[in-house]
Amino acid sequence: MTTTVSSESALPLPEFDQYAGSYADYLDDPLRGRFASDPLHFHRRKWMLIQSMLKRADMDPARSRWLDVGCGQGSLLEVAGKHFSHASGCDPSAGMLSSCASFSVRAQASPVALPYEDHSVDFVTSVCVYHHVHGEDRTLLTSEIRRVLAPGGLYCIVEHNPWNPATQIIVGRCAVDVDAELLSAPSAGRLLEASGFELLRTSYFLYLPEKLFSRFGAMESALERVPLGGQYALLGRAPA
Ligand SMILES: C[S@@+](CC[C@H](N)C(=O)[O-])C[C@H]1O[C@@H](n2cnc3c(N)ncnc32)[C@H](O)[C@@H]1O
């Protein structure tokens, strides 16, 4: 594991350091548990969606360098990392990163600066990150993501959908989300476009609980334009 630790010790500790030791317990919720008994289901489902988006956008993961911004404990990297030529993650919380044993991860010294070279990756994800980023920092983080992406590179934002009532209930009572400011897919799309990305696709997902998804998963694809899924994913392309 590559961990770059901030030298600015006067800064407050990153918010998620306080949750890192018992993160799974903090996420535990009866409604969420009824939706999927295995928390990895959510990450597998995201990877299925991301895979189909990359295919449509003509990007081959096996030939692409992927960076997961705000990777937390690295669950998506665990599920999908092996499909990329290189997979890495970063997060302001060194506590969260301490669980990412098998991937190259770096701590962000600032919430709006990424410890990577210009144009050094082909694909970036940020999963459930923006609702913890506030005000102008959202724009600064998005511009920073564009900086590290190669020309024509792809960026996928996954977020909670504020228009889904179950999502609102779960977020409303989750201690980790005490500061959460959910953003709708159209707001996330405007954020992408303001940083120069071309918005390629918006897909809503997480309509069906895990048990039904295994039998009727195709139904979710049919509903991807209906803005009521538990979460949504947006795909943008950086200028060539
Ligand atoms: C809800 S967790 C999601 C973690 C992971 N992406 C996942 O889906 O399991 C939010 C993560 O975003 C990180 N985060 C908060 N602000 C950030 C920022 N400005 N840049 C990158 N990551 C940030 C937090 O430290 C935390 O690990």
Side-chain angles (χ1 to χ4, degrees):
M1 176 174 112
T2 315
T3 303
T4 311
V5 179
S6 166
S7 57
E8 296 167 75
S9 53
L11 289 174
L13 279 178
E15 180 192 0
F16 272 72
D17 277 5
Q18 66 189 302
Y19 307 126
S22 318
Y23 188 58
D25 296 336
Y26 278 110
L27 294 190
D28 197 22
D29 180 282
L31 193 50
R32 192 173 186 266
R34 236 179 284 153
F35 198 88
S37 55
D38 178 359
L40 265 189
H41 169 74
F42 296 103
H43 300 286
R44 288 195 210 102
R45 177 69 188 95
K46 286 178 182 80
W47 170 232
M48 280 181 72
L49 181 61
I50 290 168
Q51 231 176 340
S52 74
M53 285 179 135
L54 291 181
K55 196 169 175 192
R56 279 188 182 127
D58 213 17
M59 177 174 279
D60 176 6
R63 298 160 56 122
S64 308
R65 299 156 296 174
W66 169 37
L67 171 63
D68 189 23
V69 171
C71 65
Q73 297 189 326
S75 304
L76 191 61
L77 288 167
E78 288 289 343
V79 168
K82 58 181 178 287
H83 298 283
F84 289 82
S85 69
H86 187 260
S88 52
C90 62
D91 198 290
S93 167
M96 293 291 276
L97 292 178
S98 65
S99 302
C100 301
S102 34
F103 287 94
S104 160
V105 293
R106 296 183 186 174
Q108 294 170 224
S110 151
V112 294
L114 302 177
Y116 297 92
E117 300 289 317
D118 293 0
H119 311 317
S120 54
V121 293
D122 307 297
F123 178 51
V124 172
T125 47
S126 66
V127 176
C128 297
V129 171
Y130 278 95
H131 62 268
H132 297 290
V133 180
H134 306 289
E136 183 60 13
D137 279 5
R138 286 182 172 174
T139 306
L140 296 173
L141 181 63
T142 313
S143 302
E144 185 63 359
I145 285 166
R146 181 178 157 189
R147 179 187 67 75
V148 302
L149 265 175
L154 295 175
Y155 178 29
C156 179
I157 296 179
V158 178
E159 270 299 329
H160 294 317
N161 180 13
W163 297 339
N164 177 289
T167 296
Q168 282 284 7
I169 292 171
I170 295 168
V171 169
R173 62 192 183 196
C174 178
V176 165
D177 286 326
V178 68
D179 74 330
E181 275 183 71
L182 298 187
L183 67 163
S184 65
S187 304
R190 284 192 288 275
L191 199 59
L192 277 184
E193 288 174 340
S195 286
F197 287 92
E198 176 195 359
L199 179 58
L200 301 179
R201 194 163 194 94
T202 302
S203 296
Y204 293 87
F205 68 111
L206 292 184
Y207 287 95
L208 299 173
E210 185 182 5
K211 278 190 187 135
L212 290 181
F213 182 75
S214 56
R215 292 169 61 199
F216 305 110
M219 221 173 91
E220 282 215 348
S221 311
L223 291 171
E224 72 174 335
R225 302 285 170 119
V226 180
L228 291 173
Q231 295 189 335
Y232 62 83
L234 251 63
L235 190 71
R237 192 189 292 282

PDB file of all heavy atoms in Angstrom, residues 9 13 26 54 64 75 94 159 165 170:
ATOM      1  N   SER A   9      -0.172  19.034   9.757  1.00  0.00           N
ATOM      2  CA  SER A   9      -0.764  18.428  10.938  1.00  0.00           C
ATOM      3  C   SER A   9      -1.738  19.347  11.672  1.00  0.00           C
ATOM      4  O   SER A   9      -2.501  18.917  12.509  1.00  0.00           O
ATOM      5  CB  SER A   9       0.346  17.974  11.889  1.00  0.00           C
ATOM      6  OG  SER A   9       1.185  19.065  12.127  1.00  0.00           O
ATOM      7  N   LEU A  13      -8.710  16.397  11.573  1.00  0.00           N
ATOM      8  CA  LEU A  13      -8.664  15.042  11.014  1.00  0.00           C
ATOM      9  C   LEU A  13      -9.776  14.877   9.985  1.00  0.00           C
ATOM     10  O   LEU A  13     -10.879  15.415  10.170  1.00  0.00           O
ATOM     11  CB  LEU A  13      -8.887  14.025  12.134  1.00  0.00           C
ATOM     12  CG  LEU A  13      -7.686  13.694  12.999  1.00  0.00           C
ATOM     13  CD1 LEU A  13      -8.101  12.697  14.082  1.00  0.00           C
ATOM     14  CD2 LEU A  13      -6.556  13.116  12.157  1.00  0.00           C
ATOM     15  N   TYR A  26     -21.647   1.178  11.300  1.00  0.00           N
ATOM     16  CA  TYR A  26     -22.311   2.463  11.067  1.00  0.00           C
ATOM     17  C   TYR A  26     -23.311   2.385   9.905  1.00  0.00           C
ATOM     18  O   TYR A  26     -24.324   3.076   9.888  1.00  0.00           O
ATOM     19  CB  TYR A  26     -21.285   3.564  10.763  1.00  0.00           C
ATOM     20  CG  TYR A  26     -20.650   4.165  11.997  1.00  0.00           C
ATOM     21  CD1 TYR A  26     -19.324   3.930  12.312  1.00  0.00           C
ATOM     22  CD2 TYR A  26     -21.391   4.990  12.843  1.00  0.00           C
ATOM     23  CE1 TYR A  26     -18.741   4.485  13.439  1.00  0.00           C
ATOM     24  CE2 TYR A  26     -20.816   5.551  13.974  1.00  0.00           C
ATOM     25  CZ  TYR A  26     -19.497   5.298  14.263  1.00  0.00           C
ATOM     26  OH  TYR A  26     -18.933   5.854  15.385  1.00  0.00           O
ATOM     27  N   LEU A  54     -19.012   1.455 -19.612  1.00  0.00           N
ATOM     28  CA  LEU A  54     -17.701   1.525 -20.273  1.00  0.00           C
ATOM     29  C   LEU A  54     -17.770   0.883 -21.654  1.00  0.00           C
ATOM     30  O   LEU A  54     -17.187   1.374 -22.627  1.00  0.00           O
ATOM     31  CB  LEU A  54     -16.633   0.839 -19.417  1.00  0.00           C
ATOM     32  CG  LEU A  54     -16.263   1.538 -18.106  1.00  0.00           C
ATOM     33  CD1 LEU A  54     -15.171   0.768 -17.368  1.00  0.00           C
ATOM     34  CD2 LEU A  54     -15.802   2.974 -18.369  1.00  0.00           C
ATOM     35  N   SER A  64      -6.988  -0.054 -19.486  1.00  0.00           N
ATOM     36  CA  SER A  64      -7.236   1.262 -18.876  1.00  0.00           C
ATOM     37  C   SER A  64      -6.745   1.330 -17.438  1.00  0.00           C
ATOM     38  O   SER A  64      -6.835   0.344 -16.690  1.00  0.00           O
ATOM     39  CB  SER A  64      -8.743   1.558 -18.897  1.00  0.00           C
ATOM     40  OG  SER A  64      -9.255   1.402 -20.188  1.00  0.00           O
ATOM     41  N   SER A  75     -13.885  -1.217  -1.223  1.00  0.00           N
ATOM     42  CA  SER A  75     -14.758  -2.342  -1.609  1.00  0.00           C
ATOM     43  C   SER A  75     -14.927  -2.449  -3.131  1.00  0.00           C
ATOM     44  O   SER A  75     -14.900  -3.555  -3.684  1.00  0.00           O
ATOM     45  CB  SER A  75     -16.137  -2.199  -0.965  1.00  0.00           C
ATOM     46  OG  SER A  75     -15.993  -2.099   0.419  1.00  0.00           O
ATOM     47  N   ALA A  94      -7.024   8.559   6.037  1.00  0.00           N
ATOM     48  CA  ALA A  94      -6.026   7.485   6.131  1.00  0.00           C
ATOM     49  C   ALA A  94      -6.618   6.306   6.916  1.00  0.00           C
ATOM     50  O   ALA A  94      -6.275   5.146   6.673  1.00  0.00           O
ATOM     51  CB  ALA A  94      -4.756   7.998   6.805  1.00  0.00           C
ATOM     52  N   GLU A 159     -24.081   8.265  -7.064  1.00  0.00           N
ATOM     53  CA  GLU A 159     -24.594   8.967  -5.883  1.00  0.00           C
ATOM     54  C   GLU A 159     -25.943   8.415  -5.446  1.00  0.00           C
ATOM     55  O   GLU A 159     -26.654   7.781  -6.228  1.00  0.00           O
ATOM     56  CB  GLU A 159     -24.755  10.468  -6.201  1.00  0.00           C
ATOM     57  CG  GLU A 159     -23.519  11.294  -5.903  1.00  0.00           C
ATOM     58  CD  GLU A 159     -23.098  11.262  -4.433  1.00  0.00           C
ATOM     59  OE1 GLU A 159     -23.954  11.137  -3.548  1.00  0.00           O
ATOM     60  OE2 GLU A 159     -21.888  11.328  -4.165  1.00  0.00           O
ATOM     61  N   PRO A 165     -37.583   7.612  -1.911  1.00  0.00           N
ATOM     62  CA  PRO A 165     -37.963   7.763  -0.498  1.00  0.00           C
ATOM     63  C   PRO A 165     -37.162   6.857   0.445  1.00  0.00           C
ATOM     64  O   PRO A 165     -36.800   7.296   1.552  1.00  0.00           O
ATOM     65  CB  PRO A 165     -39.451   7.370  -0.476  1.00  0.00           C
ATOM     66  CG  PRO A 165     -39.905   7.397  -1.903  1.00  0.00           C
ATOM     67  CD  PRO A 165     -38.706   7.234  -2.777  1.00  0.00           C
ATOM     68  N   ILE A 170     -32.913   6.063   4.782  1.00  0.00           N
ATOM     69  CA  ILE A 170     -31.653   5.442   5.211  1.00  0.00           C
ATOM     70  C   ILE A 170     -30.588   6.513   5.483  1.00  0.00           C
ATOM     71  O   ILE A 170     -29.912   6.500   6.516  1.00  0.00           O
ATOM     72  CB  ILE A 170     -31.152   4.406   4.161  1.00  0.00           C
ATOM     73  CG1 ILE A 170     -32.152   3.254   4.075  1.00  0.00           C
ATOM     74  CG2 ILE A 170     -29.759   3.897   4.514  1.00  0.00           C
ATOM     75  CD1 ILE A 170     -31.941   2.314   2.900  1.00  0.00           C
TER      76      ILE A 170
END
